[in-house]
Every structure is written in C-alpha cells, then in structure tokens.
Amino acid sequence: MMKKAIITGIAGQDGSYLAELLLSKGYEIHGIVRRIAIEDSEHKLKNISHLTERIIMHVGSLDNILSLIKIVKDVQPDECYHLASSSFVSYSFDDEISILNNNVNSTHYLLAAIKEFAPRCRFYFAGSSEMFGDVGQSPQNETTPFNPRSIYGISKVAGHHLARNYRSQYGLFTSMGILYNHESPRRGYEFVTRKIVSSAVKIKLGLQDHLLLGNLDAWRDWGYAPDYVHAMWMMLQTDEPDDFVIASGKTHRVRDFVDTAFSLLDLDYRRYVRTDPQLFRPSERVQLCGDATKARTRLGWSHTIDFSDIVRLMVEGEMSLHTKCNQ
Ligand code: GDP
C-alpha cells in the first residue's frame, strides 16, 4: 500500500527536497502550511511550485494543537517529518520568546496528536548541530553532551527530549537527526552561503559593488541538503528508533566559501568583501564538526557532494535565476 507522510516545513529547503525524494519513492505527501503561505504562494511556496499538483496541502498552524489533531486524524500518516522551526540562529533578542515557544510547542503538539490518533506513525525530529553549541570536543558525535548557546539550539534540545520521552514512555517510533549545516541553491538568503553566492553573482553582473560579511574565519561543516534529507528518510526505515549525527566531517572557513564562489566567477574576493563587526556572532570558539560514523555504519548513509561542488552548484543555480529573469 502507498505510504503516507506528513511534512512540516515542506516549503523550506529541506522540506522541498524531502518531498521530491518521497514522491520518487511512491509516497502520498501531505504538507502543512500556513494560510499566509497559500495567499503568497509565489514567494512562500516557490521551492515546491513544481510539486503542487502532486502533494496534498493542509492549511494549519503548528501553534494550534486542534488543527494538528485534525490533520493527523484525517491523514493517518505512516511517517511524519517535523522540519518546521524558526531556524535562523542570530535573530534578535526580541524574537527569543516566540522562537522558543513555537519550536517547543509545535513538537509537543505533533507528538501528542500522533500518540493519540496515529500511534504507529514514525516521527522524525530535525535536530541540529546548534544543540552542541559551546562544546568541549571536536568532532562531535551522538554521545557528545549538549551545551546550546542560542535560543534556537535550546529549543532543539527541548524538542529532542520531548521526542525521546515519547519514545521511552509511550513507545512511539521517534528518531532524530543532528544535522550540521547543509546548503543548496534553495538555501534561504539569511544564511551566509546564499548571501555570498547571491552577492558574488550580482557583483559579477554589475548589479552590486561590494559584500558585507561578519567573521570570515568562522568554521562550518557544510554538506549538501539533498544528501541530508536522504538520511532523514533512512532514519525512519530502521528496525529501532535512534539518533544520528549527519555531517560531512570536514570543516571550511567562511573565507574558503567566499574565495571558492568568487573564483568560480573569475573574481578576486579581496576586492569586494568587507567585514562589519556588527555581523560577528558572540562565542564561536570551538569548531562544530560532525562525526557521522554511526549513520554510515548503521544506516549505510554517506554524503555524495563535497564542499567545492556545493559552492559550484549554488553559483550555477544563482546564475540561472538571473538568466531566467532576463528571458
Ligand atoms: P548557522 O549560523 O550555522 O546556522 O549558519 P549561517 O549560514 O547563518 O552562518 C554560518 C557562519 O557564517 C557563522 O559562523 C557566522 O558567524 C558566519 N558569518 C559571517 N558573516 C556572516 C553573515 O554576513 N551572515 C551570516 N548569516 N553568517 C555570517
């Protein structure tokens, strides 16, 4: 029988790739989106505009348990991928309360709805390397203690404990991926990789003259988003629920990303990039670098696209956006 999956955050980078993957595997896909996204679908649903005929959309709000109960009850999903969250780390202090509330409550409500109305549904929780925060060791694996240093990281640790408790107390199949940064041409503009690529292309085309960045010497473990959503699916196909670090295991500096992107466009980044102290983040001492040995050995997962190819794919994607606009 055709499997049914609910995806929250379906219009985001990961949600859209996951929807493509599950469609290719014959799933019936249900996405939960806010009314405002339907009303402004040209912008808010652009990542899935090519899929809208093939997915079933539910208008619902993750901060309303009643709407989630209704969807879970009606759909009777086999799998639920909870990807929606306020995902940007450096929002201002003003957003703190709502980020924590939204991220924790949405996870709790979904788990509660599944426990009551679709207890055989397998649940994927999108954890993040931000959960490690100010860690004492590098690389990190599933046994590394969490020490989150952002509200986003704190909300993910809380969600993780909720999912784990629903696993041990109520026997729900809940698995978590601790995903390190993963990029693609669909990455949001607030993330440094997309910011760099979009500016580099504009500079190349004479539409912009410089790029302001924060810490060029910050290190990140960057992978390719489609590889990472594949891991999410693999995590729900195992015999037992578990938690897995998903990472490339290699770190690069923001400067390396900048250099690679500008070089692909035959530009010398030193002529165009300036730093702005206001864009620096506090406390970025230890390198976040993931050790995905467990995912490799238990799931058979591996990443297929390396750093320089990620940068190239993003530059090509950005270029093609401009070519399309001018046609
Ligand atoms: P995340 O913070 O790991 O979720 O991902 P980002 O893409 O937002 O940031 C990656 C790294 O880039 C962090 O270490 C930032 O300090 C650094 N960075 C340097 N300049 C910028 C900038 O202008 N914008 C953002 N978002 N990050 C920057």
Side-chain angles (χ1 to χ4, degrees):
M1 236 186 40
M2 189 185 246
K3 273 195 185 175
K4 289 186 274 189
I6 289 180
I7 303 177
T8 74
I10 193 166
Q13 168 187 261
D14 293 2
S16 64
Y17 285 121
L18 181 64
E20 284 173 9
L21 176 75
L22 298 186
L23 282 170
S24 76
K25 293 187 180 296
Y27 279 63
E28 179 179 296
I29 310 286
H30 295 260
I32 304 181
V33 290
R34 274 182 286 224
R35 185 164 302 283
I36 188 172
I38 301 270
E39 283 161 5
D40 183 18
S41 57
E42 194 193 329
H43 295 110
K44 297 212 158 60
L45 300 181
K46 66 174 183 317
N47 284 335
I48 49 169
S49 58
H50 59 303
L51 304 175
T52 42
E53 307 280 287
R54 302 170 64 202
I55 51 192
I56 300 158
M57 291 293 202
H58 300 262
V59 173
S61 172
L62 294 176
D63 57 20
N64 177 353
I65 190 167
L66 291 179
S67 79
L68 296 180
I69 285 177
K70 185 170 182 323
I71 295 166
V72 168
K73 228 170 146 178
D74 287 352
V75 173
Q76 289 296 310
D78 300 284
E79 295 171 10
C80 175
Y81 296 85
H82 180 35
L83 312 184
S85 69
S86 309
S87 66
F88 189 47
V89 182
S90 74
Y91 281 122
S92 72
F93 184 70
D94 299 348
D95 297 310
E96 247 191 52
I97 310 288
S98 60
I99 289 177
L100 190 60
N101 282 344
N102 295 347
N103 287 0
V104 175
N105 289 345
S106 62
T107 306
H108 200 180
Y109 295 165
L110 264 177
L111 285 166
I114 288 170
K115 167 182 168 282
E116 290 300 326
F117 299 104
R120 278 195 299 276
C121 172
R122 296 182 168 205
F123 182 82
Y124 172 81
F125 179 67
S128 155
S129 52
E130 277 295 309
M131 293 161 70
F132 292 124
D134 198 3
V135 276
Q137 67 188 69
S138 190
Q140 301 84 39
N141 65 23
E142 294 78 4
T143 64
T144 307
F146 298 132
N147 191 14
R149 278 291 181 267
S150 64
I151 278 294
Y152 172 70
I154 292 169
S155 76
K156 288 290 181 183
V157 172
H160 165 61
H161 285 302
L162 280 168
R164 281 250 280 238
N165 267 278
Y166 272 73
R167 187 195 294 170
S168 57
Q169 282 189 18
Y170 305 122
L172 247 56
F173 189 112
T174 65
S175 287
M176 174 178 70
I178 304 175
L179 270 52
Y180 282 63
N181 295 48
H182 43 289
E183 318 298 311
S184 77
R186 296 184 199 167
R187 191 60 149 149
Y189 287 94
E190 66 275 34
F191 292 91
V192 78
T193 54
R194 185 68 185 273
K195 181 177 173 184
I196 294 165
V197 164
S198 113
S199 296
V201 166
K202 283 199 186 125
I203 290 169
K204 178 74 184 174
L205 299 175
L207 303 169
Q208 188 174 319
D209 55 21
H210 69 278
L211 164 61
L212 272 186
L213 289 172
N215 186 5
L216 294 181
D217 294 311
W219 296 84
R220 280 291 181 276
D221 176 335
W222 277 299
Y224 186 51
D227 283 342
Y228 286 41
V229 304
H230 192 226
M232 297 175 185
W233 174 77
M234 288 174 129
M235 277 178 230
L236 294 197
Q237 314 310 312
T238 54
D239 292 336
E240 296 293 331
D242 210 339
D243 303 326
F244 297 91
V245 162
I246 302 297
S248 79
K250 291 193 194 106
T251 51
H252 293 87
R253 290 171 306 171
V254 171
R255 185 185 300 282
D256 304 323
F257 198 104
V258 173
D259 192 9
T260 311
F262 277 73
S263 299
L264 283 166
L265 296 163
D266 293 321
L267 298 172
D268 179 354
Y269 81 90
R270 282 164 293 209
R271 288 186 52 199
Y272 305 100
V273 173
R274 296 180 208 152
T275 51
D276 176 352
Q278 285 193 327
L279 293 171
F280 276 62
R281 305 248 182 101
S283 89
E284 284 194 313
R285 282 184 288 132
V286 179
Q287 277 189 27
L288 283 178
C289 174
D291 171 6
T293 306
K294 183 173 166 187
R296 270 198 301 276
T297 51
R298 302 257 187 96
L299 302 175
W301 177 80
S302 60
H303 73 282
T304 61
I305 306 276
D306 273 326
F307 177 76
S308 55
D309 284 326
I310 297 170
V311 185
R312 185 180 50 75
L313 288 167
M314 289 183 74
V315 169
E316 286 170 2
E318 202 69 34
M319 266 296 185
S320 74
L321 283 184
H322 286 274
T323 342
K324 264 188 223 146
C325 288
N326 293 331
Q327 268 170 5

